[in-house]
PDB file of all heavy atoms in Angstrom:
ATOM      1  N   GLU Y 265     109.792 134.118 148.124  1.00  0.00           N
ATOM      2  CA  GLU Y 265     110.127 134.611 146.784  1.00  0.00           C
ATOM      3  C   GLU Y 265     111.402 133.951 146.250  1.00  0.00           C
ATOM      4  O   GLU Y 265     111.487 133.576 145.077  1.00  0.00           O
ATOM      5  CB  GLU Y 265     110.271 136.139 146.804  1.00  0.00           C
ATOM      6  CG  GLU Y 265     110.389 136.782 145.409  1.00  0.00           C
ATOM      7  CD  GLU Y 265     109.360 136.268 144.397  1.00  0.00           C
ATOM      8  OE1 GLU Y 265     108.158 136.084 144.749  1.00  0.00           O
ATOM      9  OE2 GLU Y 265     109.765 135.990 143.248  1.00  0.00           O
ATOM     10  N   GLU Y 266     112.404 133.776 147.170  1.00  0.00           N
ATOM     11  CA  GLU Y 266     113.655 133.109 146.761  1.00  0.00           C
ATOM     12  C   GLU Y 266     113.384 131.673 146.311  1.00  0.00           C
ATOM     13  O   GLU Y 266     113.968 131.185 145.346  1.00  0.00           O
ATOM     14  CB  GLU Y 266     114.684 133.082 147.925  1.00  0.00           C
ATOM     15  CG  GLU Y 266     115.280 134.419 148.319  1.00  0.00           C
ATOM     16  CD  GLU Y 266     114.303 135.261 149.158  1.00  0.00           C
ATOM     17  OE1 GLU Y 266     113.482 134.659 149.895  1.00  0.00           O
ATOM     18  OE2 GLU Y 266     114.342 136.503 149.051  1.00  0.00           O
ATOM     19  N   GLU Y 267     112.486 131.016 147.058  1.00  0.00           N
ATOM     20  CA  GLU Y 267     112.161 129.628 146.705  1.00  0.00           C
ATOM     21  C   GLU Y 267     111.441 129.555 145.355  1.00  0.00           C
ATOM     22  O   GLU Y 267     111.670 128.651 144.569  1.00  0.00           O
ATOM     23  CB  GLU Y 267     111.303 128.992 147.813  1.00  0.00           C
ATOM     24  CG  GLU Y 267     112.118 128.683 149.056  1.00  0.00           C
ATOM     25  CD  GLU Y 267     111.246 128.410 150.282  1.00  0.00           C
ATOM     26  OE1 GLU Y 267     110.053 128.811 150.304  1.00  0.00           O
ATOM     27  OE2 GLU Y 267     111.772 127.795 151.225  1.00  0.00           O
ATOM     28  N   TRP Y 268     110.604 130.553 145.098  1.00  0.00           N
ATOM     29  CA  TRP Y 268     109.926 130.606 143.797  1.00  0.00           C
ATOM     30  C   TRP Y 268     110.934 130.783 142.659  1.00  0.00           C
ATOM     31  O   TRP Y 268     110.788 130.198 141.587  1.00  0.00           O
ATOM     32  CB  TRP Y 268     108.882 131.728 143.756  1.00  0.00           C
ATOM     33  CG  TRP Y 268     107.513 131.235 144.140  1.00  0.00           C
ATOM     34  CD1 TRP Y 268     106.777 131.642 145.211  1.00  0.00           C
ATOM     35  CD2 TRP Y 268     106.752 130.237 143.462  1.00  0.00           C
ATOM     36  NE1 TRP Y 268     105.596 130.961 145.267  1.00  0.00           N
ATOM     37  CE2 TRP Y 268     105.546 130.074 144.188  1.00  0.00           C
ATOM     38  CE3 TRP Y 268     106.966 129.445 142.343  1.00  0.00           C
ATOM     39  CZ2 TRP Y 268     104.562 129.182 143.820  1.00  0.00           C
ATOM     40  CZ3 TRP Y 268     105.977 128.554 141.969  1.00  0.00           C
ATOM     41  CH2 TRP Y 268     104.793 128.428 142.709  1.00  0.00           C
ATOM     42  N   VAL Y 269     111.950 131.595 142.929  1.00  0.00           N
ATOM     43  CA  VAL Y 269     112.997 131.803 141.912  1.00  0.00           C
ATOM     44  C   VAL Y 269     113.621 130.460 141.562  1.00  0.00           C
ATOM     45  O   VAL Y 269     113.824 130.133 140.379  1.00  0.00           O
ATOM     46  CB  VAL Y 269     114.064 132.818 142.411  1.00  0.00           C
ATOM     47  CG1 VAL Y 269     115.270 132.854 141.473  1.00  0.00           C
ATOM     48  CG2 VAL Y 269     113.457 134.222 142.529  1.00  0.00           C
ATOM     49  N   GLU Y 270     113.914 129.669 142.588  1.00  0.00           N
ATOM     50  CA  GLU Y 270     114.482 128.325 142.368  1.00  0.00           C
ATOM     51  C   GLU Y 270     113.498 127.451 141.586  1.00  0.00           C
ATOM     52  O   GLU Y 270     113.863 126.799 140.604  1.00  0.00           O
ATOM     53  CB  GLU Y 270     114.791 127.649 143.719  1.00  0.00           C
ATOM     54  CG  GLU Y 270     116.079 128.100 144.358  1.00  0.00           C
ATOM     55  CD  GLU Y 270     117.278 127.904 143.441  1.00  0.00           C
ATOM     56  OE1 GLU Y 270     117.513 126.745 143.015  1.00  0.00           O
ATOM     57  OE2 GLU Y 270     117.971 128.903 143.133  1.00  0.00           O
ATOM     58  N   MET Y 271     112.238 127.450 142.053  1.00  0.00           N
ATOM     59  CA  MET Y 271     111.214 126.600 141.443  1.00  0.00           C
ATOM     60  C   MET Y 271     111.035 126.923 139.959  1.00  0.00           C
ATOM     61  O   MET Y 271     110.854 126.025 139.136  1.00  0.00           O
ATOM     62  CB  MET Y 271     109.886 126.782 142.202  1.00  0.00           C
ATOM     63  CG  MET Y 271     108.795 125.877 141.728  1.00  0.00           C
ATOM     64  SD  MET Y 271     109.194 124.141 141.962  1.00  0.00           S
ATOM     65  CE  MET Y 271     107.880 123.676 143.063  1.00  0.00           C
ATOM     66  N   ARG Y 272     111.123 128.231 139.636  1.00  0.00           N
ATOM     67  CA  ARG Y 272     110.885 128.635 138.244  1.00  0.00           C
ATOM     68  C   ARG Y 272     112.027 128.248 137.303  1.00  0.00           C
ATOM     69  O   ARG Y 272     111.950 128.459 136.099  1.00  0.00           O
ATOM     70  CB  ARG Y 272     110.644 130.148 138.180  1.00  0.00           C
ATOM     71  CG  ARG Y 272     109.295 130.557 138.734  1.00  0.00           C
ATOM     72  CD  ARG Y 272     108.941 131.983 138.364  1.00  0.00           C
ATOM     73  NE  ARG Y 272     107.737 132.398 139.046  1.00  0.00           N
ATOM     74  CZ  ARG Y 272     107.700 133.277 140.044  1.00  0.00           C
ATOM     75  NH1 ARG Y 272     108.813 133.876 140.450  1.00  0.00           N
ATOM     76  NH2 ARG Y 272     106.561 133.578 140.625  1.00  0.00           N
ATOM     77  N   LYS Y 273     113.081 127.671 137.898  1.00  0.00           N
ATOM     78  CA  LYS Y 273     114.197 127.240 137.048  1.00  0.00           C
ATOM     79  C   LYS Y 273     113.916 125.877 136.402  1.00  0.00           C
ATOM     80  O   LYS Y 273     114.672 125.412 135.548  1.00  0.00           O
ATOM     81  CB  LYS Y 273     115.489 127.151 137.878  1.00  0.00           C
ATOM     82  CG  LYS Y 273     116.056 128.501 138.245  1.00  0.00           C
ATOM     83  CD  LYS Y 273     117.304 128.325 139.084  1.00  0.00           C
ATOM     84  CE  LYS Y 273     117.861 129.677 139.512  1.00  0.00           C
ATOM     85  NZ  LYS Y 273     118.921 129.510 140.522  1.00  0.00           N
ATOM     86  N   HIS Y 274     112.817 125.192 136.846  1.00  0.00           N
ATOM     87  CA  HIS Y 274     112.670 123.795 136.403  1.00  0.00           C
ATOM     88  C   HIS Y 274     112.499 123.603 134.887  1.00  0.00           C
ATOM     89  O   HIS Y 274     112.985 122.608 134.356  1.00  0.00           O
ATOM     90  CB  HIS Y 274     111.575 123.060 137.214  1.00  0.00           C
ATOM     91  CG  HIS Y 274     110.176 123.363 136.809  1.00  0.00           C
ATOM     92  ND1 HIS Y 274     109.457 124.403 137.320  1.00  0.00           N
ATOM     93  CD2 HIS Y 274     109.351 122.750 135.931  1.00  0.00           C
ATOM     94  CE1 HIS Y 274     108.252 124.421 136.773  1.00  0.00           C
ATOM     95  NE2 HIS Y 274     108.164 123.412 135.931  1.00  0.00           N
ATOM     96  N   PRO Y 275     111.869 124.537 134.142  1.00  0.00           N
ATOM     97  CA  PRO Y 275     111.818 124.300 132.684  1.00  0.00           C
ATOM     98  C   PRO Y 275     113.214 124.281 132.048  1.00  0.00           C
ATOM     99  O   PRO Y 275     113.502 123.461 131.183  1.00  0.00           O
ATOM    100  CB  PRO Y 275     110.996 125.479 132.166  1.00  0.00           C
ATOM    101  CG  PRO Y 275     110.165 125.917 133.332  1.00  0.00           C
ATOM    102  CD  PRO Y 275     111.068 125.716 134.527  1.00  0.00           C
ATOM    103  N   GLU Y 276     114.075 125.209 132.515  1.00  0.00           N
ATOM    104  CA  GLU Y 276     115.425 125.259 131.932  1.00  0.00           C
ATOM    105  C   GLU Y 276     116.280 124.076 132.371  1.00  0.00           C
ATOM    106  O   GLU Y 276     117.064 123.543 131.584  1.00  0.00           O
ATOM    107  CB  GLU Y 276     116.116 126.575 132.314  1.00  0.00           C
ATOM    108  CG  GLU Y 276     115.590 127.734 131.490  1.00  0.00           C
ATOM    109  CD  GLU Y 276     115.900 129.080 132.109  1.00  0.00           C
ATOM    110  OE1 GLU Y 276     115.570 129.259 133.301  1.00  0.00           O
ATOM    111  OE2 GLU Y 276     116.466 129.929 131.417  1.00  0.00           O
ATOM    112  N   ILE Y 277     116.103 123.670 133.642  1.00  0.00           N
ATOM    113  CA  ILE Y 277     116.847 122.488 134.117  1.00  0.00           C
ATOM    114  C   ILE Y 277     116.447 121.266 133.269  1.00  0.00           C
ATOM    115  O   ILE Y 277     117.293 120.506 132.803  1.00  0.00           O
ATOM    116  CB  ILE Y 277     116.580 122.219 135.618  1.00  0.00           C
ATOM    117  CG1 ILE Y 277     117.099 123.383 136.469  1.00  0.00           C
ATOM    118  CG2 ILE Y 277     117.232 120.912 136.057  1.00  0.00           C
ATOM    119  CD1 ILE Y 277     116.693 123.314 137.940  1.00  0.00           C
ATOM    120  N   GLY Y 278     115.135 121.128 133.051  1.00  0.00           N
ATOM    121  CA  GLY Y 278     114.643 120.002 132.237  1.00  0.00           C
ATOM    122  C   GLY Y 278     115.213 120.055 130.832  1.00  0.00           C
ATOM    123  O   GLY Y 278     115.658 119.044 130.279  1.00  0.00           O
TER     124      GLY Y 278
END
Side-chain angles (χ1 to χ4, degrees):
E265 190 47 42
E266 291 77 31
E267 287 165 340
W268 267 117
V269 170
E270 280 304 302
M271 185 62 119
R272 287 194 187 109
K273 287 179 182 170
H274 78 272
E276 283 162 307
I277 296 171

